[in-house]
Amino acid sequence: MNSKNLLMMVEIAIFAAIGIILDKLTFSLWPQGGSISLVMVPIVIMAFRWGTVAGLVTGLLIGTMNAMFGGFILTPLQGFIDYFFAFTVVGLAGLLRPLVTRAQTASEKALYITIGTIIGGLIRYVAHAIAGYVFFSEYAGDQNPLIYTIVYNGSYMVPAIILTAAIVSLLMTKAPKLLEPKKR
């Protein structure tokens, strides 16, 4: 194993741990779950720093640890969707890494980072909405369960996506070395 791969794996572990800490420092909105947190920030940073695979692995580790340390799991499928899948797909933000690294200006970088973050965040939002519709529709009462889950999950996911995009864009445009894995 070369030192670059080892460094990437160490950073994945560190950023996953940071993600768990950030997830515990949340602004909870609803008693049934869902909170505005910065848990996606380390996933997105890793996705833009090392690429999509590193982002996916970081997200998978965070989702796994969330499930282990207090996840609300009704069935294996719901647990998979809400934790393992939902957090992993945030790493898809890294699909825009080539555009970010080739960007000529800070505003261009920020635009691609924002778009990538929105892509990863929206797929996570869809995953939570699907799990909500399938497994938590009894909370909708007399409302349409699909509309209910879209609004419910959107109430915390949309602000979390916006915050993540703003923070990561700011970090990576003000400290562009974050985008460059250390070469050793």
Side-chain angles (χ1 to χ4, degrees):
M1 174 182 305
N2 66 34
S3 61
K4 185 177 177 184
N5 286 340
L6 180 61
L7 179 61
M8 180 180 68
M9 290 191 306
V10 169
E11 285 187 20
I12 287 170
I14 291 169
F15 275 74
I18 291 168
I20 291 299
I21 292 166
L22 290 174
D23 197 43
K24 299 305 175 201
L25 305 172
T26 64
F27 177 69
S28 293
L29 291 176
W30 306 110
Q32 294 95 351
S35 58
I36 299 171
S37 80
L38 301 176
V39 69
M40 293 188 292
V41 169
I43 302 169
V44 173
I45 289 174
M46 288 302 292
F48 287 121
R49 184 170 165 82
W50 287 97
T52 305
V53 172
L56 293 170
V57 173
T58 305
L60 178 62
L61 284 174
I62 290 173
T64 301
M65 288 188 284
N66 267 335
M68 288 171 41
F69 303 129
F72 183 74
I73 299 174
L74 293 174
T75 70
L77 181 58
Q78 175 266 324
F80 173 78
I81 295 169
D82 267 340
Y83 294 98
F84 302 99
F85 181 78
F87 287 95
T88 301
V89 296
V90 174
L92 292 174
L95 292 173
L96 272 72
R97 183 178 189 274
L99 296 173
V100 172
T101 57
R102 286 194 305 262
Q104 299 298 312
T105 64
S107 60
E108 192 180 0
K109 277 184 184 176
L111 174 66
Y112 294 133
I113 289 167
T114 300
I115 292 169
T117 303
I118 289 170
I119 289 169
L122 283 178
I123 298 171
R124 176 182 170 207
Y125 173 27
V126 168
H128 288 310
I130 289 169
Y133 179 71
V134 173
F135 298 101
F136 299 101
S137 60
E138 71 268 9
Y139 292 111
D142 294 335
Q143 303 170 62
N144 178 318
L146 182 58
I147 303 287
Y148 176 80
T149 193
I150 289 170
V151 171
Y152 181 92
N153 287 289
S155 70
Y156 68 91
M157 281 304 305
V158 170
I161 293 167
I162 292 168
L163 274 172
T164 300
I167 289 169
V168 174
S169 293
L170 183 66
L171 278 172
M172 292 196 163
T173 54
K174 297 299 180 185
K177 292 215 183 252
L178 273 175
L179 282 171
E180 303 165 13
K182 191 171 184 176
K183 300 196 175 38
R184 195 125 163 62

